[in-house]
Amino acid sequence: MRTARLMTILFTLVLAIVSTSGFSQDLLRRNDLSQIRVDQLSDADISKLRQQLQSSGLTIDQAEQIALSKGMSSAEIAKLKQRLAGGSVTSTQRSQPINDTVGGKSRSDIYAAGDSAKARAIVINPKIFGSELFNNVSFNPKAGENVATPFNYVLGINDALEISVYGIQETDFNVTVSKEGSVAIPNVGQIRVVGLTIEDATARIRQSMSNTAYSTIRSGGSKLAVSLGNVRGIHVTVIGSNMPGNYTLSSLTTAFSALYVAGGPGPFGSFREIELIRDNKVERKIDLYRFLTNGDQSDNVRLKDNDVIRIPAYKTRVELTGQVKRPGIFEVLPGETFNNVLTFASGFTDTAYRASVHVTQFNDKEQQVKDIDASEFASYKPFAGDVFEIGKTLKRFANRVHITGAIFRPGYFELREGMTLSDLIKKADGIREDAFKNRAQVIRTKDDLTKEVISFNVSDAINNTGTGNVKLKKDDEVIISSIFDLRDEYKVSIQGEVRSPGDYAFADNLTIRDLIIQAGGLTEAAYPQRIEIARVLRRDTLTAEDARASEVIEIRNEQDLSTPTKNLDLKPFDVVTVRRKPGANQLESVVISGQVQYPGPYVISTRSERVSDVIKRAGSFTPEAYIEGAYLKRYLSAEELQLKKDKLEKLQRNTKDTTNQVMEDLAKSYDQVPLDIPSILSHPGSSQDLVLKLGDEIYVPKFDASVKVSGGVLLPTQIPYERNYSVKDYLSAAGGVADNAQKKRIYVLYANGRAKATKHFLFFKNYPEVKPGAEVVVPRKPERRGLSTGETIGIASALASLAGVVIAIINMTK
């Protein structure tokens, strides 16, 4: 039989695959090819398979259906067909090409599993309504095949049935409908099922099996279950699509899936008059808009073998642009109006202008425009090529007025017919208590778009008396001022010895005592006998004789603050100053650290406390003290730090010093003042014996018998102090000066912060003395950058141009 012959050929094919891929014979007995991976097959394996196919006489479709019935996935079959297409084929196989292509794409690739769908390119203009059905790369047309057996499914040739008997008798069969329309069941025989629904076929199989070897089915001792296994393939032809051609599809495939596989309607294809032709007759006209607008799948019918899907050219297409929810290109059937097209576009947006629509049309010679009023939407029948433009509503208001100022609910309100100021004020919940009632304004836009101001009395408008209750117009703006807006914000200030100095709001009958209480009261250092009030002078003219800038009132007696008649009332903008007691100073401390007997903080005992005084209080020096290195740290304020920064930067620019010493000095928040301790102790109170300030710190270092050499030397280092060494000796010990050193500007920085520079007389140099703990600093020369190529060319060009000008001038004077 032909079926037995096909099965034999298939077994040969599977045996070759299994032997090269390392699958066991047990797997072959189960007839399971689901684990086959074509990527693992070598080129030699593919060559053997190709030879077996050529010698068997099977077409690709026949081999594919057999492999599908054994569980091989569609994706793996597609890969296998691609690899087999690399060599020659026989004339028999050309009747169904191994790599049948449409538009340069493999049909098997197009209809393979989800991985192939991801590579699908957009082929339909996305502006066309419905293109998203066919441009969607994530859509898988085979997803509908993995479902339960459909009701009333009609069996055909090559359908696979799974027959299961369970109960007293148990057995399972996997059978395929032969070309004669029958299935062969062992011990039962041939049963014809082609053309029957799955339900009718089940009844016929049950009857045949219960009358033969499976009598327990008739008695109820055993049960029978018949289900659809791998479905058969059907041939479908699609015409007028982006990828027209003949397709072998699953028998469960529907019209929409076939259209997707074929790439959807072509550039001029209709989305609404697609014909399903069966037995040379139009079975149904498919309108995709029914599905797109209402979700109606009545046109998504299941296809049959040899069905033809014909996509004719569209008759009328129009385009909607602008303020619609789904702009695009839409197909219109005869009898449909603009309202139908608007429905396809999901209607107007919220901001669309709906009174009329602008449409551009084509006549026999040129374009023309037409305006369609809202009353014509239901009757206007679009023409081919119409382009509808839906505008946006104007950004203006037809009935709006605005009120601001001293009212409870300022904002925009609806302008009604005959509305007046009193009506608007009531809508705004009335005026506030601080409203200035004598005069308010209505700012109105006139017909020529200029502004005019209409003044009114607020009380008259509210009471509807006089002419104050003005009738409002569109876009009027009403302004009712507050009394606080019309006067200065009165304040008074207090400064000096109070707990919270600053500005305070002025109020009538505010006295000095009241203001002091608001400021938290007087501090301990306050001197109530010295309180001043500075008051703004109020005069009409300035004269040369009157040079006063303010009026100053002095309070010399604390009792004046408690006496009602003398406790002055303040006026707006008064400035009250509470003086400090002359002797009310906070205790101030200084610090002495380093090599002294009792280091630590010391409170200044007198206003003229000096360095020598604190040294005596600290018990003098320890034996390790290096008094020649002693210095004073004097911390600077923010203003003093900025002044120091400016001076040091200027000094560095003038000396062309490129060392880091200046930048290090800028980073310090204090000045280092050198102290001459022997002179201070032998002459206390002298100019060397500095008067101390708050925060000063005296530091006495430990003796350091080393000298540091830094700057423009070959090897900056520290060298042990030698009494008979000069500056040159220390420079030699550091490897000598570098090429970029400024030898004339060498200086010595001593441990206490004092510095001495090299002195010059003619060709002689007098270097400073070097002491323990000192640092010899060699400044570096500033780096000089040569001209770049571009700068050199620029200068040369300028010189050449200048020479040309000079020559031209000389020629003119001849």
Side-chain angles (χ1 to χ4, degrees):
M1 296 176 66
R2 181 63 172 172
T3 302
R5 182 183 175 188
L6 292 177
M7 293 300 294
T8 301
I9 297 299
L10 177 63
F11 285 169
T12 304
L13 173 63
V14 173
L15 181 60
I17 297 175
V18 173
S19 62
T20 56
S21 304
F23 287 98
S24 65
Q25 292 297 324
D26 291 338
L27 185 63
L28 179 61
R29 294 192 188 101
R30 292 202 305 268
N31 297 327
D32 184 9
L33 300 182
S34 60
Q35 301 301 318
I36 293 296
R37 296 294 179 264
V38 176
D39 294 335
Q40 298 175 0
L41 300 179
S42 65
D43 292 340
D45 300 332
I46 297 298
S47 178
K48 292 179 182 178
L49 290 175
R50 187 182 296 112
Q51 293 174 3
Q52 292 175 5
L53 283 174
Q54 291 174 353
S55 60
S56 66
L58 285 175
T59 65
I60 294 299
D61 279 344
Q62 292 170 339
E64 179 182 357
Q65 293 301 323
I66 295 172
L68 281 172
S69 67
K70 296 301 179 181
M72 193 172 186
S73 66
S74 299
E76 293 298 326
I77 292 175
K79 293 178 182 179
L80 182 59
K81 291 168 71 174
Q82 286 180 347
R83 296 193 64 181
L84 289 172
S88 61
V89 293
T90 64
S91 58
T92 304
Q93 289 170 310
R94 288 192 183 98
S95 64
Q96 177 62 46
I98 292 176
N99 192 20
D100 191 9
T101 59
V102 177
K105 297 179 180 286
S106 169
R107 288 178 179 150
S108 58
D109 288 346
I110 295 171
Y111 194 50
D115 290 342
S116 299
K118 293 179 181 177
R120 181 185 182 90
I122 295 177
V123 295
I124 300 179
N125 183 358
K127 293 176 65 175
I128 296 176
F129 183 54
S131 61
E132 59 271 18
L133 287 178
F134 308 103
N135 292 339
N136 184 5
V137 297
S138 62
F139 174 68
N140 182 8
K142 295 200 70 176
E145 298 178 15
N146 300 319
V147 295
T149 304
F151 183 72
N152 284 337
Y153 176 79
V154 178
L155 295 176
I157 298 172
N158 292 329
D159 275 340
L161 297 180
E162 296 176 355
I163 302 173
S164 177
V165 179
Y166 56 94
I168 297 176
Q169 293 177 290
E170 291 190 358
T171 186
D172 294 314
F173 303 108
N174 290 327
V175 296
T176 302
V177 181
S178 67
K179 289 191 175 182
E180 288 75 20
S182 303
V183 293
I185 301 177
N187 301 320
V188 175
Q190 298 285 338
I191 303 174
R192 184 173 179 80
V193 295
V194 71
L196 299 179
T197 63
I198 189 69
E199 293 79 15
D200 294 339
T202 301
R204 179 172 293 184
I205 292 171
R206 178 181 290 108
Q207 181 180 4
S208 298
M209 293 181 69
S210 61
N211 290 334
T212 53
Y214 300 94
S215 58
T216 56
I217 295 177
R218 184 172 60 250
S219 63
S222 298
K223 302 294 183 181
L224 174 69
V226 179
S227 60
L228 188 64
N230 290 325
V231 297
R232 69 182 184 277
I234 60 174
H235 294 281
V236 176
T237 302
V238 184
I239 303 171
S241 64
N242 279 297
M243 292 180 286
N246 298 318
Y247 292 87
T248 301
L249 306 174
S250 163
S251 59
L252 296 179
T253 302
T254 61
F256 289 179
S257 296
L259 286 171
Y260 177 85
V261 171
F268 301 101
S270 171
F271 279 68
R272 308 196 59 188
E273 295 184 303
I274 302 171
E275 297 176 349
L276 173 59
I277 301 173
R278 185 171 293 164
D279 298 330
N280 296 323
K281 296 180 181 179
V282 177
E283 177 75 12
R284 170 185 290 270
K285 280 196 175 183
I286 299 172
D287 186 352
L288 293 177
Y289 280 27
R290 280 199 288 266
F291 172 70
L292 292 169
T293 57
N294 303 317
D296 183 355
Q297 294 200 61
S298 58
D299 288 336
N300 192 21
V301 295
R302 189 178 298 119
L303 300 179
K304 294 184 178 181
D305 196 24
N306 296 320
D307 275 354
V308 176
I309 297 177
R310 175 180 171 270
I311 304 175
Y314 67 84
K315 295 184 176 66
T316 303
R317 269 185 187 171
V318 298
E319 183 176 0
L320 263 67
T321 63
Q323 299 302 309
V324 289
K325 294 176 182 176
R326 205 284 186 193
I329 299 172
F330 301 88
E331 185 176 346
V332 182
L333 296 180
E336 290 182 334
T337 64
F338 175 75
N339 266 345
N340 298 112
V341 181
L342 191 60
T343 301
F344 301 151
S346 301
F348 292 114
T349 63
D350 297 337
T351 59
Y353 178 69
R354 310 181 186 206
S356 66
V357 170
H358 184 79
V359 57
T360 302
Q361 299 176 328
F362 293 90
N363 56 29
D364 294 338
K365 296 182 179 180
E366 56 190 1
Q367 290 180 305
Q368 63 184 20
V369 295
K370 180 179 177 64
D371 291 327
I372 305 173
D373 295 332
S375 59
E376 302 177 86
F377 288 174
S379 59
Y380 178 78
K381 295 180 180 180
F383 295 92
D386 280 2
V387 178
F388 297 92
E389 183 180 352
I390 292 85
K392 198 172 185 179
T393 53
L394 299 177
K395 196 174 182 179
R396 69 176 188 179
F397 295 86
N399 59 339
R400 186 180 73 168
V401 290
H402 188 216
I403 185 169
T404 59
I407 56 172
F408 286 106
R409 294 188 181 278
Y412 293 97
F413 293 89
E414 176 190 1
L415 175 63
R416 297 182 178 178
E417 183 68 26
M419 189 175 186
T420 62
L421 282 170
S422 62
D423 299 328
L424 179 59
I425 293 172
K426 288 178 183 178
K427 275 195 168 187
D429 286 349
I431 60 175
R432 299 200 310 255
E433 294 80 359
D434 60 321
F436 182 68
K437 300 179 181 179
N438 293 339
R439 195 174 187 86
Q441 296 85 32
V442 176
I443 299 177
R444 177 168 293 172
T445 303
K446 297 191 294 185
D447 294 339
D448 59 357
L449 301 182
T450 59
K451 301 285 186 179
E452 68 172 333
V453 176
I454 303 174
S455 300
F456 67 95
N457 184 285
V458 178
S459 298
D460 291 346
I462 294 174
N463 299 324
N464 197 16
T465 59
T467 59
N469 198 13
V470 178
K471 187 176 180 180
L472 297 175
K473 293 185 178 181
K474 182 186 73 170
D475 293 329
D476 277 355
E477 183 174 359
V478 181
I479 303 174
I480 300 176
S481 301
S482 168
I483 56 175
F484 301 113
D485 297 334
L486 303 178
R487 69 181 185 186
D488 291 336
E489 185 179 359
Y490 291 162
K491 289 185 177 181
V492 291
S493 300
I494 187 168
Q495 59 188 9
E497 295 304 317
V498 291
R499 300 187 188 280
S500 301
D503 295 335
Y504 292 86
F506 173 79
D508 292 337
N509 302 319
L510 178 68
T511 64
I512 299 177
R513 188 177 182 86
D514 296 330
L515 181 59
I516 291 174
I517 292 173
Q518 289 186 34
L522 301 175
T523 64
E524 290 293 332
Y527 189 44
Q529 284 76 17
R530 283 283 184 178
I531 297 178
E532 292 181 353
I533 304 171
R535 181 163 293 170
V536 176
L537 289 175
R538 291 172 172 81
R539 53 192 173 188
D540 297 331
T541 60
L542 288 175
T543 62
E545 294 78 11
D546 189 0
R548 295 177 301 163
S550 63
E551 179 184 358
V552 179
I553 304 171
E554 296 183 347
I555 296 178
R556 299 296 187 187
N557 191 344
E558 186 177 3
Q559 299 299 325
D560 291 347
L561 297 178
S562 57
T563 303
T565 57
K566 296 185 178 180
N567 188 13
L568 293 177
D569 289 343
L570 298 177
K571 293 185 178 181
F573 311 114
D574 278 356
V575 178
V576 178
T577 304
V578 181
R579 300 297 178 190
R580 187 182 183 88
K581 292 178 182 178
N585 294 322
Q586 294 181 349
L587 297 179
E588 298 178 346
S589 297
V590 296
V591 176
I592 185 169
S593 59
Q595 301 303 311
V596 293
Q597 298 291 342
Y598 305 107
Y602 288 84
V603 177
I604 297 176
S605 59
T606 64
R607 295 195 300 273
S608 60
E609 183 118 23
R610 297 177 181 270
V611 173
S612 59
D613 299 327
V614 175
I615 292 176
K616 291 178 182 178
R617 292 169 67 183
S620 194
F621 306 105
T622 64
E624 296 82 11
Y626 181 47
I627 59 176
E628 292 189 6
Y631 58 86
L632 173 71
K633 286 184 180 180
R634 177 151 289 173
Y635 290 90
L636 306 176
S637 64
E639 294 79 7
E640 291 172 331
L641 281 173
Q642 184 61 42
L643 181 61
K644 175 185 175 182
K645 178 181 178 181
D646 296 339
K647 288 181 178 179
L648 289 177
E649 288 178 347
K650 183 177 180 181
L651 175 63
Q652 189 178 33
R653 288 194 299 270
N654 292 338
T655 60
K656 299 181 179 179
D657 184 9
T658 59
T659 63
N660 294 328
Q661 187 63 43
V662 172
M663 300 310 297
E664 292 174 1
D665 289 341
L666 288 176
K668 296 179 181 179
S669 61
Y670 59 87
D671 280 337
Q672 183 173 328
V673 183
L675 297 177
D676 189 350
I677 297 297
S679 176
I680 290 173
L681 295 181
S682 61
H683 300 89
S686 64
S687 59
Q688 296 289 332
D689 194 6
L690 300 177
V691 177
L692 297 176
K693 295 182 179 181
L694 173 66
D696 281 353
E697 181 179 348
I698 301 170
Y699 179 71
V700 183
K702 192 174 183 179
F703 181 77
D704 182 12
S706 66
V707 175
K708 184 178 180 181
V709 183
S710 63
V713 292
L714 296 180
L715 182 63
T717 185
Q718 288 192 9
I719 301 168
Y721 172 75
E722 294 289 344
R723 184 181 297 274
N724 59 345
Y725 268 25
S726 66
V727 169
K728 287 185 176 181
D729 296 325
Y730 287 108
L731 293 176
S732 297
V737 296
D739 294 338
N740 62 344
Q742 298 189 52
K743 299 178 183 180
K744 295 181 180 180
R745 299 185 182 276
I746 297 174
Y747 61 92
V748 177
L749 182 64
Y750 296 102
N752 62 359
R754 193 185 301 275
K756 284 188 177 180
T758 301
K759 295 181 180 180
H760 301 272
F761 179 73
L762 297 179
F763 301 104
F764 303 99
K765 296 180 183 178
N766 184 16
Y767 291 105
E769 179 186 0
V770 181
K771 295 182 179 181
E775 180 179 359
V776 180
V777 181
V778 183
R780 292 188 178 95
K781 296 177 182 178
E783 295 182 1
R784 295 182 179 179
R785 183 178 64 86
L787 294 176
S788 65
T789 304
E791 291 171 338
T792 304
I793 294 174
I795 294 174
S797 300
L799 292 175
S801 300
L802 182 60
V805 173
V806 172
I807 293 172
I809 294 174
I810 293 173
N811 292 334
M812 291 174 62
T813 57
K814 290 182 178 179

